[in-house]
Amino acid sequence: MISIKNTNIPQLLLLLFLLTSCKGNNNSESEVLESKKNKTYALKAGPKPSVSFINSKKNAIDHFYKKNWPNNSLNGGFLVAKDGHIIYEKYEGYANYKNKTEMTSESALHIASVSKVMTATAVLKLIDQKKIDLDQKITTLIKGFPYPDVTIKMLLNHRSGIRNYSYFTDKKEIWDRHKILKNQDLVPLMINKKINLEFRTDSRFSYCNTNYAILALIIEKVTGQNYKEAMKTIIFKPLGMTNTYVFDYDKDRQTANPSYRGNFSLYYWDYLDAIYGDKNIYSTPRDLLKFDMGRNDPEFFKTELLKKSFIPYSNEYKGQNNYGLGIRMINWETGQNFYFHNGWWHGNTSAYITLPEEKVTIIALSNKFNRMTYKVRNLAALFGDYPFKLDDNGISE
C-alpha cells in the first residue's frame, strides 16, 4: 500500500486539476482540427449584377448559344456567371438517351481533362498544409519511381518528360488491352518495361495525362485515402459540390451518364477508363461554378497558391499559349491573360473558363460529341478585352 501520510494535499489537488485541464485542452484541439478538416465553406458571391447588365449580356449569350447549338443540340449543360451569380443557364438533351432521361442542372457528366484543374487544386491544398512541397521529388513519395529528377511541380506543369500512358500501353508487349489499366499499374510498368523519358526532365513542355495519374497516387499516399474519398474530403464536400464524384470503374459503370457519338451511338468502356486524376471526375456546371468560386476565395484557397497556378512555366520558345499548375492560359503581349481548361474523353467534351479580373465563370459540358463546346471561350470578349472571333474554334484539350 502506498502511504500518503507526508503528501502535500493542496499540491496533489493542484496537480490533478492541471492534468485534467491539459486533457481537456487536448480534446478541444482535436475537435478544432477535426472541425477544420470537415468544414463546409460558405461561398461568398459578389455584388449582384444590375438588371441592365444582365439583360445586355444575356441577349448576346443567347444569340451565341442558338447560333452554335441550333435546335438545342448541345446535349449538356451551359452557364455563364458574374461574381458568382448565374446570368445565363441552359440544359438541353438527354443525360441518358436510351432511358430518355432529360438533362438537368443535377445531371453529372464526365468532365474529362477539366479534372486536372481539380487534381491540381487538391495537390496545392496539401502543399499549403505542409504535407508535401512543390519542389519535392517524386522518388521521396513513390518507392522505386524511375525518374529521379521529376518533382511535383513538373507533374503539375507538364514538364516531367514522362510518356503518355495511353501511348506506351497501346503496345501489346507492354500491356494486354483485354485487362483494365489502373493507376497502380503505371509505376510498375515504367520500371519493369523500362519506359524511357520522352525528353530530358524540365527541358520543355509536353501535355501528358500520366503526370496527373501519378499526382492522384501522390494524393492517396499523402492523405491515406483513395483518390475518390480524398477529393471528396479536400474539395467536393467543403464546397458543397453535391453532384460531383470520382468515377469508380468497378462500381459506377451502370449508373454514370453515358457518352455518345454525334448520332447518339454509344461509346463503350475501354481499358483506359479506370485511370483517374487526369480525368474521371463527373460534375455539373453549377458545381463547377462552386469550384471556381472556391478557388478564388482566399479563405479556401490561398491567394499566393492561386498566383502560382497562373504563372506560365514553359518559356523556351516565344508564344502566347502556356500552362500553369493545372490550368491552360493564353498570354498576349498586351498583358491580357486568359485562363481555361478544356476536356475531351470519348464523346464527352468540356470547357472551364475562369476570368479572375472580371470575376466571370463560363462552363460548358456535353456527353454527345460536339467540338462547339470549346467555342464558349469567345464569350470572354463580352466581359473584357479578349481578342476572340466567332470563327475561332478554340479547340485545345
Side-chain angles (χ1 to χ4, degrees), residues 19-249:
L19 287 172
T20 304
S21 298
C22 288
K23 184 177 179 181
N25 288 337
N26 287 337
N27 287 340
S28 177
E29 288 174 9
S30 297
E31 289 169 4
V32 169
L33 288 172
E34 190 63 26
S35 175
K36 285 184 177 181
K37 180 180 176 182
N38 297 319
K39 179 179 178 181
T40 298
Y41 289 80
L43 294 172
K44 295 181 278 298
K48 188 173 182 178
S50 67
V51 173
S52 60
F53 176 89
I54 292 174
N55 287 338
S56 66
K57 304 304 180 187
K58 195 171 183 178
N59 291 336
I61 297 167
D62 191 59
H63 176 76
F64 173 91
Y65 184 92
K66 290 174 180 175
K67 180 179 179 181
N68 287 284
W69 293 294
N71 303 314
N72 302 323
S73 57
L74 169 65
N75 208 79
F78 166 65
L79 69 74
V80 180
K82 165 73 172 170
D83 282 304
H85 299 280
I86 297 173
I87 61 176
Y88 190 94
E89 185 176 26
K90 280 270 193 179
Y91 299 93
E92 302 285 357
Y94 295 108
N96 188 307
Y97 183 74
K98 180 180 178 181
N99 299 336
K100 295 297 184 285
T101 305
E102 293 186 358
M103 196 75 66
T104 72
S105 62
E106 296 182 351
S107 301
L109 303 182
H110 195 304
I111 65 173
S113 285
V114 174
S115 303
K116 292 182 174 70
V117 190
M118 294 191 189
T119 298
T121 301
V123 169
L124 290 172
K125 291 278 285 182
L126 293 175
I127 290 171
D128 179 55
Q129 295 168 4
K130 313 290 186 194
K131 294 182 179 179
I132 47 175
D133 295 319
L134 188 59
D135 293 312
Q136 186 171 349
K137 291 189 174 182
I138 310 307
T139 51
T140 66
L141 294 162
I142 299 178
K143 185 177 180 180
F145 190 75
Y147 314 117
D149 297 324
V150 175
T151 65
I152 290 173
K153 181 167 72 175
M154 294 170 200
L155 296 179
L156 287 166
N157 61 22
H158 293 297
R159 295 180 60 84
S160 69
I162 296 172
R163 295 182 182 275
N164 198 318
Y165 66 77
S166 62
Y167 299 152
F168 66 75
T169 60
D170 192 44
K171 300 175 182 178
K172 61 182 180 181
E173 64 269 23
I174 302 294
W175 185 258
D176 178 2
R177 287 174 39 172
H178 295 96
K179 294 168 54 181
I180 300 301
L181 184 70
K182 296 190 176 182
N183 291 59
Q184 292 73 20
D185 297 315
L186 294 177
V187 174
L189 276 179
M190 293 170 180
I191 296 170
N192 298 330
K193 300 297 182 179
K194 295 180 171 51
I195 307 297
N196 295 323
L197 291 172
E198 182 181 359
F199 55 85
R200 181 169 53 84
T201 295
D202 204 27
S203 62
R204 64 180 176 87
F205 169 86
S206 181
Y207 185 85
C208 177
N209 290 322
T210 314
N211 291 326
Y212 278 74
I214 293 170
L215 284 169
L217 291 175
I218 290 170
I219 289 171
E220 293 182 330
K221 172 76 173 179
V222 173
T223 64
Q225 296 178 296
N226 61 49
Y227 176 77
K228 183 172 186 172
E229 291 302 316
M231 294 301 287
K232 187 188 299 183
T233 300
I234 300 170
I235 296 177
F236 305 159
K237 188 174 181 180
L239 295 181
M241 298 169 66
T242 54
N243 294 303
T244 300
Y245 67 95
V246 175
F247 174 77
D248 185 319
Y249 181 85

Side-chain angles (χ1 to χ4, degrees), residues 280-333:
N280 265 350
I281 290 177
Y282 280 65
S283 192
T284 67
R286 288 187 182 183
D287 272 7
L288 285 170
L289 173 58
K290 291 177 182 178
F291 170 73
D292 190 55
M293 292 171 69
R295 270 173 58 89
N296 286 283
D297 184 344
E299 288 189 20
F300 177 75
F301 196 68
K302 290 192 175 178
T303 304
E304 53 265 34
L305 287 177
L306 191 62
K307 287 180 179 178
K308 288 180 179 179
S309 294
F310 290 154
I311 294 172
Y313 287 93
S314 296
N315 304 298
E316 290 78 23
Y317 306 100
K318 187 176 181 180
Q320 297 177 343
N321 296 316
N322 218 305
Y323 203 95
L325 302 180
I327 196 79
R328 286 188 181 274
M329 63 188 70
I330 303 175
N331 307 120
W332 290 285
E333 291 184 358

